């Protein structure tokens, strides 16, 4: 019987732990039950075959059932594994890049019907040249304007000359021509009244406007 029990146990390698416990309990219970049934077949020191034919099978069956039940109870299923921890939260999005620094370039003014650079305005253009050297990738519109005295065609040419005069000055200071876009707008885009000399002087101007800020 023990050999049979060991054979059954070795054949149960593919079973779950609880199933193995039930089989082992049944086999062990059957062996013990059969032994008890055989012992009950002894009458006054002699073995009774008729009793053994009944007692042993009954003992084996009862022992197997009891042993299997004990094995089932004893081998409770293992506790379920805890659920996996939740995934970590996604990292926060990177902050937006800072806005590009706004480049401020001051403009210059011109005498009436003139397009040469006045001495008083040269320091302003020198400062603009240094700013542009520090920002070599910035293109600049060099916009020329006039007051309202004179014809539209004459003032358009004059404003273009004023823009080209400022661009040439900046090129002499080391600013490449590819970084400058001179253009004349004639007597348009007034910033002050044309009814006074002071107002007209403010309108005779060249503005330096970075291309990405126009």
């Amino acid at each position: 019987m023990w050999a049979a029990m060991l054979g059954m146990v070795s054949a149960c390698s593919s079973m779950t732990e609880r199933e193995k416990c039930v089989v082992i309990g049944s086999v062990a219970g059957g062996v013990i039950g059969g032994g008890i049934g055989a012992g009950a077949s002894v009458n006054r020191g002699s073995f009774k075959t008729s009793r053994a034919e009944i007692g042993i099978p009954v003992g084996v069956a009862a022992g197997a059932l009891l042993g299997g039940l004990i094995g089932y109870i004893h081998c409770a299923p293992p506790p379920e594994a805890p659920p996996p921890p939740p995934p970590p939260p996604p990292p926060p999005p990177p902050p937006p890049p800072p806005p590009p620094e706004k480049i401020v370039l001051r403009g210059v003014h011109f005498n009436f019907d003139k397009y040469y650079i006045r001495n008083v305005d040269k320091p302003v253009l020198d400062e603009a040249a240094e700013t542009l050297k520090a920002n070599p990738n910035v293109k600049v519109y060099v916009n020329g304007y006039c007051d309202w005295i004179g014809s539209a065609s004459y003032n358009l040419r004059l404003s273009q000359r004023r823009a080209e005069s400022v661009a040439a000055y900046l090129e002499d200071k080391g600013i490449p021509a590819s970084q400058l876009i001179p253009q004349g707008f004639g007597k348009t885009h007034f910033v002050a009244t044309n009814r006074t000399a002071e107002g007209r002087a403010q309108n005779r101007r060249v503005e330096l406007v970075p291309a990405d800020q126009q």
Side-chain angles (χ1 to χ4, degrees):
M1 289 184 179
W2 283 109
M5 181 180 72
L6 291 174
M8 293 180 65
V9 171
S10 63
C12 296
S13 58
S14 62
M15 294 183 178
T16 64
E17 290 298 322
R18 199 167 199 184
E19 289 173 342
K20 290 179 181 179
C21 288
V22 172
V23 171
I24 293 173
S26 297
V27 173
V31 172
I32 295 171
I36 294 173
S41 300
V42 177
N43 183 19
R44 294 182 180 180
S46 62
F47 183 76
K48 297 292 185 179
T49 303
S50 59
R51 291 186 178 182
E53 291 176 351
I54 298 175
I56 293 175
V58 172
V60 170
L65 289 174
L66 183 59
L69 179 61
I70 293 173
Y72 181 85
I73 296 173
H74 178 70
C75 289
E80 295 183 1
E101 182 180 358
K102 188 173 182 179
I103 299 175
V104 178
L105 301 173
R106 292 188 295 161
V108 294
H109 296 84
F110 294 83
N111 291 331
F112 176 73
D113 200 26
K114 304 298 181 184
Y115 57 87
Y116 62 82
I117 306 297
R118 302 182 304 176
N119 289 332
V120 68
D121 291 317
K122 290 180 179 180
V124 175
L125 295 179
D126 293 342
E127 178 185 335
E130 294 303 316
T131 301
L132 293 177
K133 288 178 182 178
N135 298 272
N137 295 325
V138 175
K139 290 185 178 294
V140 176
Y141 290 108
V142 184
N143 298 334
Y145 302 95
C146 297
D147 59 29
W148 69 355
I149 299 177
S151 67
S153 59
Y154 180 84
N155 279 297
L156 185 61
R157 292 192 298 271
L158 179 60
S159 65
Q160 183 68 31
R161 289 172 182 165
R162 287 173 175 171
E164 292 172 352
S165 176
V166 171
Y169 185 92
L170 293 175
E171 289 177 32
D172 289 341
K173 295 297 179 177
I175 306 304
S178 59
Q179 199 173 350
L180 305 170
I181 308 172
Q183 49 189 1
F185 291 92
K187 52 179 185 178
T188 61
H189 300 84
F190 302 124
V191 295
T193 179
N194 283 289
R195 299 183 182 279
T196 63
E198 293 80 5
R200 291 191 295 273
Q202 293 183 50
N203 291 329
R204 299 189 298 265
R205 70 196 190 280
V206 165
E207 296 179 350
L208 302 175
V209 182
D212 60 350
Q213 297 174 196
Q214 191 175 33

